[in-house]
Amino acid sequence: MATQAEPTSGFTGDDKPQWEDYARCVHCGLCLNHCPTYRLWGLEADSPRGRIRQMLLVDTGQLELGDVFVKHIDQCLDCRACETACPSGVEYGKLVEVTRAQIEQNYRRAPFTRLLRRLVFEDLLPHPLRIAAVARLLRVYQRSGLAMLARASGLLKLFGMEQRERLLPPIDSEFFFSRLGKTYPAQGTQRARVAFFGGCLAQVTFTALNDATIRVLTANGCEVVVPDGQVCCGALCAHAGVRGTARELAMKNMDVFLREEFDAIVTNAAGCGSTLKEYSHLFPAGLDSEKAKDKHRGHKGAESTEKAQQFSAKVRDVTEFLAEMGLAATLRDVSRDGAPLRVTYQDSCHLVHGQKVKDAPRKLIRAVPGVELVEMPLADYCCGSAGVYNVTQTEASLAILEEKMRHAASTGAHAIITANPGCILQLRAGISRHSATTSSAQAEKPVPQEVLHVVELLDRAIIT
Ligand code: SF4
Ligand code: SF4
């Protein structure tokens, strides 16, 4: 156990790291080599143990909640690999999220950063209509030649936006928002009735993936309802410490999805699923409901805690749900010219570390005839996507991605399969960066050519 006496609090308010949570760290260091930022920089301050130590020092008033502390907490991917590695059961994800809430409340960021954070976390993500409006503008930028012009003119480089702009996903022609309120009947005998969670940005960038998910579910005997009124899960806000907004979003989703009886609430986004399963962290039983009502609009005490537990118990990642239920649809052989389709699987951090779902996606991939699954080294290490990390910490994110692409290439796989839209975008950026910098003659083993979600692979194989 940690040696310090129980501290007097240097953090303020309700959302703060709790002594009983961070004191579980026995400083053994077993998590260090599992931490991407420690592997990258080799600094104790950028390791899980070092970050927990800094939380304790701030809480006990021995370290200022200032620039240095904020830098090391910002540089954490919140990938939670340290949680899986930890023998003491430290819930690091919970700790870093409330630490970021402390930073949000007690630290003044640069004015431009503050403005950007407000625009994204408060003014954009919670509002589906605004997401659609911004997406339409971006679509014009991407398709009118403006994007090419901005790249060719050197403008993006001048403003340091070149790498970030390349991470922008292509905006869909049709948005998934138009599917809200619809019900898709099961094919064959109905085996389950599920509610589908469509995400926020995914509704304007991953409509095809969401449609594929519905097709795979219905082909496997599920009636799929896409409830109207659903909003962003709140993951990006919660990870950034903007917990008031995350709570408001959680309240709306709980109201919408608990209105009817479903066998499960299904998502294809590991990052969303992890937060949806942990809504109770946003409404802890001991949270002072009166104070919380003022400071973090929408919290109604014990009633919300109970509701969050009821809601989270229903949430399933689509891979977990299908693997548990068993595939009923007939699958065709997807081998090419007599050779198996060689694929490798990249674990999404919030599926493997956040939700502890490791075998289900692999089981589904292996169920597709004509597929050969080759494991890459360190498949459960982050790809560097991590919510908005690739935008806020672009250099570190790309260095982590570089290592990931080397490991993926070492398998000789044609495709990388994963289970989270954010990882798909990051890995696709990895492929295009490699294609741009490495000729096939130079490459010992070329990087895979495409990135697919597990359900997209299943969708390709299903005989309708
Ligand atoms: S969440 Fe990831 S980046 Fe952060 S300390 Fe843990 S392993 Fe390191
Ligand atoms: S493995 Fe767990 S107990 Fe050991 S240093 Fe890391 S967080 Fe602390």
Side-chain angles (χ1 to χ4, degrees):
M1 289 297 291
T3 49
Q4 286 80 1
E6 187 152 347
T8 53
S9 182
F11 289 134
T12 58
D14 295 295
D15 284 318
K16 61 180 181 184
Q18 300 297 322
W19 165 256
E20 55 274 24
D21 289 333
Y22 64 66
R24 277 154 90 175
C25 175
V26 294
H27 318 305
C28 66
L30 288 174
C31 54
L32 264 57
N33 277 323
H34 295 262
C35 172
T37 57
Y38 181 75
R39 288 165 62 87
L40 192 60
W41 296 307
L43 291 174
E44 176 71 16
D46 282 310
S47 75
R49 182 176 65 185
R51 291 187 175 112
I52 292 169
R53 173 85 186 146
Q54 291 167 79
M55 289 171 199
L56 180 143
L57 291 176
V58 172
D59 200 8
T60 51
Q62 298 173 71
L63 178 70
E64 189 195 358
L65 200 164
D67 297 350
V68 175
F69 177 66
V70 173
K71 176 173 172 258
H72 294 304
I73 298 297
D74 278 356
Q75 285 179 168
C76 168
L77 293 141
D78 195 3
C79 69
R80 298 168 66 170
C82 46
E83 258 185 58
T84 302
C86 178
S88 291
V90 172
E91 291 179 276
Y92 181 86
K94 194 168 142 189
L95 279 173
V96 79
E97 285 183 14
V98 281
T99 300
R100 285 178 174 165
Q102 287 296 313
I103 293 173
E104 187 65 12
Q105 289 163 38
N106 299 315
Y107 176 78
R108 209 163 165 76
R109 292 182 187 271
F112 184 63
T113 311
R114 276 206 319 271
L115 175 71
L116 264 187
R117 286 172 63 89
R118 214 195 68 201
L119 285 176
V120 173
F121 298 124
E122 312 251 5
D123 299 335
L124 179 66
L125 292 176
H127 306 285
L129 289 175
R130 291 183 199 169
I131 292 175
V134 171
R136 276 187 208 104
L137 287 177
L138 275 175
R139 193 167 55 193
V140 171
Y141 167 78
Q142 288 177 343
R143 296 186 186 182
S144 65
L146 272 174
M148 272 164 61
L149 194 70
R151 276 175 218 152
S153 66
L155 258 184
L156 293 171
K157 209 171 189 169
L158 190 69
F159 290 104
M161 293 294 290
E162 202 185 21
Q163 301 289 2
R164 290 185 180 108
E165 196 260 359
R166 285 187 191 284
L167 292 168
L168 263 184
I171 303 295
D172 296 329
S173 302
E174 195 188 347
F175 297 157
F176 189 77
F177 288 124
S178 62
R179 278 61 158 175
L180 296 181
K182 292 191 177 167
T183 296
Y184 298 82
Q187 285 176 30
T189 312
Q190 184 171 319
R191 302 162 74 203
R193 181 170 189 264
V194 304
F196 179 65
F197 180 79
C200 56
L201 301 179
Q203 302 220 29
V204 295
T205 52
F206 278 97
T207 301
L209 169 60
N210 282 354
D211 284 344
T213 307
I214 293 174
R215 279 196 299 274
V216 170
L217 286 166
T218 53
N220 283 286
C222 299
E223 181 185 74
V224 181
V225 179
V226 188
D228 199 5
Q230 59 176 288
V231 288
C232 167
C233 65
L236 291 175
C237 297
H239 296 169
V242 186
R243 287 169 78 81
T245 309
R247 282 194 181 103
E248 280 182 7
L249 292 167
M251 291 293 293
K252 281 189 190 156
N253 282 325
M254 292 190 299
D255 283 344
V256 166
F257 283 90
L258 293 177
R259 223 177 266 151
E260 285 181 58
E261 198 48 51
F262 296 110
D263 295 309
I265 298 164
V266 177
T267 171
N268 59 21
C272 304
S274 175
T275 294
L276 294 170
K277 283 182 179 180
E278 290 175 347
Y279 268 178
S280 56
H281 290 186
L282 289 170
F283 303 100
L287 186 68
D288 182 331
S289 57
E290 277 315 304
K291 262 197 255 161
K293 231 190 278 180
D294 297 338
K295 207 188 300 171
H296 312 293
R297 298 137 290 167
H299 182 61
K300 289 184 198 131
E303 187 198 319
S304 307
T305 307
E306 224 180 277
K307 218 166 170 180
Q309 285 161 352
Q310 196 191 341
F311 174 89
S312 294
K314 294 248 171 198
V315 178
R316 293 282 180 285
D317 183 79
V318 64
T319 61
E320 178 186 24
F321 181 74
L322 287 168
E324 266 171 23
M325 192 172 67
L327 294 175
T330 314
L331 302 176
R332 70 177 179 90
D333 191 319
V334 296
S335 56
R336 292 175 180 177
D337 306 323
L341 176 70
R342 181 179 275 222
V343 303
T344 190
Y345 178 68
Q346 158 64 19
D347 286 283
S348 297
C349 298
H350 281 85
L351 192 59
V352 68
H353 304 305
Q355 302 178 52
K356 311 295 178 213
V357 177
K358 190 177 173 84
D359 295 336
R362 289 175 168 83
K363 190 174 159 190
L364 296 175
I365 294 168
R366 288 200 178 95
V368 179
V371 165
E372 181 193 2
L373 173 61
V374 187
E375 291 286 353
M376 72 169 94
L378 309 181
D380 61 351
Y381 280 35
C382 185
C383 64
S385 169
V388 291
Y389 193 88
N390 52 4
V391 179
T392 58
Q393 308 282 336
T394 309
E395 221 174 288
S397 160
L398 291 177
I400 292 165
L401 176 62
E402 207 57 41
E403 190 189 8
K404 180 60 61 185
M405 296 318 290
R406 270 201 310 278
H407 291 318
S410 75
T411 63
H414 175 83
I416 307 175
I417 313 293
T418 189
N420 186 47
C423 308
I424 293 176
L425 291 178
Q426 176 83 345
L427 295 167
R428 281 183 184 154
I431 288 179
S432 80
R433 280 172 66 80
H434 264 256
S435 317
T437 54
T438 321
S439 73
S440 46
Q442 282 173 305
E444 210 175 288
K445 275 189 177 167
V447 291
Q449 293 306 298
E450 63 177 342
V451 185
L452 294 172
H453 193 288
V454 180
V455 291
E456 288 178 311
L457 179 68
L458 289 172
D459 186 47
R460 282 187 187 182
I462 285 172
I463 300 170
T464 46

